[in-house]
């Protein structure tokens, strides 16, 4: 049996509706869409034979990271096919605002003193999600959050979706001293599954090899009658052996 060729979408309108940037943005929220969707909304249009999502992916591929994009000058941005002076100017303005906001928040970012501090960050974003999402919280040497929790995967939580390289890539990129893992249970019950425990142990081991401490894995559910808490800390439950927290 011959495999059918993958569909080619030359325009955003030809994409399945659920994958169109504006529809996805409205449906799951700005904080949950991938980087290329945010860039697609900024860029608004693609170029001949190259829709705006493909253009955004190429932008990210060529620069390799958001940090590299922030550092790019106008000439570097304009050198990418499909990015003219106007698009380059708008991108540079948006990235510079993000850089300034990050700098402004350096002294305001909160310290993580307990699993509830992490659960509180994710409770509202997770409330409306119908699928599991996995985040990593990046901490400095004083257990202060370096930025908002980073979304690293979406879908059913299993080893095929949660890769150590995806979890620790932002930690390496932002020079995090430690991380806290987190994901949601759309059912509302934050009790860990055997798969949750297995994946957590694998990530703790991977963190040791990279020199990045994994301090906890927080599972966020919902408040339910008769349920002790809307979240579950694997460190506090003693179900997984984590590395020591810094003092």
């Amino acid at each position: 049996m011959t495999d059918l060729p993958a569909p080619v979408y030359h325009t955003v309108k030809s994409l399945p509706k659920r994958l169109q940037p504006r529809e996805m943005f409205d449906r799951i929220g700005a904080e949950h869409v991938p980087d290329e969707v945010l860039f697609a909304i900024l860029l608004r249009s693609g170029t001949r034979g190259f829709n705006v999502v493909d253009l955004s992916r190429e932008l990210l591929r060529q620069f390799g990271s958001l940090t590299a994009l922030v550092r790019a000058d106008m000439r570097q941005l304009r050198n990418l096919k499909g990015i003219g002076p106007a698009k380059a100017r708008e991108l540079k303005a948006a990235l510079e605002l993000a850089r300034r906001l990050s700098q402004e928040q350096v002294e305001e970012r909160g310290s993580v003193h307990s699993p509830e501090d992490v659960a509180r960050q994710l409770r509202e974003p997770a409330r409306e999600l119908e699928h599991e999402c996995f985040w990593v919280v990046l901490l400095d040497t004083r257990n202060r959050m370096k930025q908002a929790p980073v979304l690293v995967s979406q879908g059913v939580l299993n080893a095929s979706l949660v890769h150590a390289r995806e979890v620790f890539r932002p930690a390496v990129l932002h020079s995090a001293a430690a991380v806290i893992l987190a994901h949601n249970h759309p059912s509302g019950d934050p009790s860990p599954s055997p798969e949750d425990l297995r994946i957590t142990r694998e990530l703790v081991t991977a963190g040791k090899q990279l020199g990045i401490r994994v301090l906890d894995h927080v599972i966020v559910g919902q408040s339910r009658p008769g349920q002790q808490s809307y979240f579950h800390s694997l460190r506090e439950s003693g179900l997984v052996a984590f590395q020591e927290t810094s003092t």
Side-chain angles (χ1 to χ4, degrees):
M1 181 177 177
T2 303
D3 291 336
L4 294 174
V8 177
Y9 302 109
H10 292 298
T11 66
V12 166
K13 289 184 178 179
S14 67
L15 284 166
K17 192 165 182 63
R18 65 184 180 81
L19 297 180
Q20 294 178 16
R22 292 179 184 176
E23 196 280 338
M24 187 184 295
F25 185 96
D26 292 342
R27 178 166 50 86
I28 65 175
E31 62 271 31
H32 301 300
V33 297
D35 293 342
E36 64 261 25
V37 169
L38 294 175
F39 278 109
I41 289 171
L42 279 173
L43 294 172
R44 296 193 302 279
S45 62
T47 188
R48 185 183 297 275
F50 213 45
N51 71 52
V52 70
V53 177
D54 292 333
L55 179 60
S56 300
R57 286 176 182 149
E58 182 62 14
L59 177 73
L60 288 163
R61 188 192 69 78
Q62 290 215 15
F63 285 93
S65 71
L66 293 177
T67 300
L69 261 172
V70 168
R71 293 172 179 165
D73 58 29
M74 289 287 289
R75 179 187 57 80
Q76 290 172 302
L77 292 172
R78 288 198 305 266
N79 280 344
L80 184 66
K81 181 181 178 182
I83 305 291
K87 280 187 170 68
R89 191 181 304 115
E90 290 167 2
L91 274 175
K92 188 62 180 174
L95 291 165
E96 177 60 20
L97 280 172
R99 187 194 67 81
R100 293 183 188 185
L101 176 61
S102 177
Q103 188 174 18
E104 185 178 283
Q105 289 177 331
V106 165
E107 296 305 320
E108 299 178 0
R109 63 180 184 255
S111 295
V112 175
H113 299 290
S114 70
E116 188 172 7
D117 292 337
V118 174
R120 195 181 300 116
Q121 287 271 336
L122 296 170
R123 185 176 190 178
E124 289 306 314
R127 189 186 300 275
E128 302 300 322
L129 293 173
E130 297 178 354
H131 53 275
E132 291 191 10
C133 288
F134 194 96
W135 294 270
V136 59
V137 179
L138 310 180
L139 304 174
D140 64 13
T141 55
R142 297 169 60 186
N143 282 355
R144 294 181 302 177
M145 292 178 61
K146 295 178 75 71
Q147 62 181 77
V150 179
L151 178 68
V152 294
S153 76
Q154 301 181 64
V156 178
L157 184 62
N158 57 46
S160 66
L161 286 177
V162 182
H163 299 287
R165 63 178 177 273
E166 300 299 331
V167 171
F168 291 105
R169 180 180 295 160
V172 172
L173 180 64
H174 295 283
S175 302
V179 300
I180 293 176
L181 314 173
H183 81 282
N184 66 306
H185 278 182
S187 67
D189 181 0
S191 301
S193 68
E195 185 74 356
D196 293 340
L197 301 179
R198 186 179 69 80
I199 289 172
T200 305
R201 292 185 182 111
E202 290 178 358
L203 293 175
V204 169
T205 299
K208 288 178 180 177
Q209 294 171 350
L210 291 169
I212 298 172
R213 291 174 297 122
V214 179
L215 303 184
D216 200 349
H217 185 168
V218 178
I219 303 172
V220 181
Q222 299 173 20
S223 297
R224 296 285 174 83
Q227 190 169 283
Q228 288 187 343
S229 176
Y230 71 91
F231 69 91
H232 182 102
S233 161
L234 292 185
R235 170 181 280 277
E236 290 189 342
S237 69
L239 294 173
V240 175
F242 290 91
Q243 293 163 271
E244 292 303 312
T245 59
S246 60
T247 55

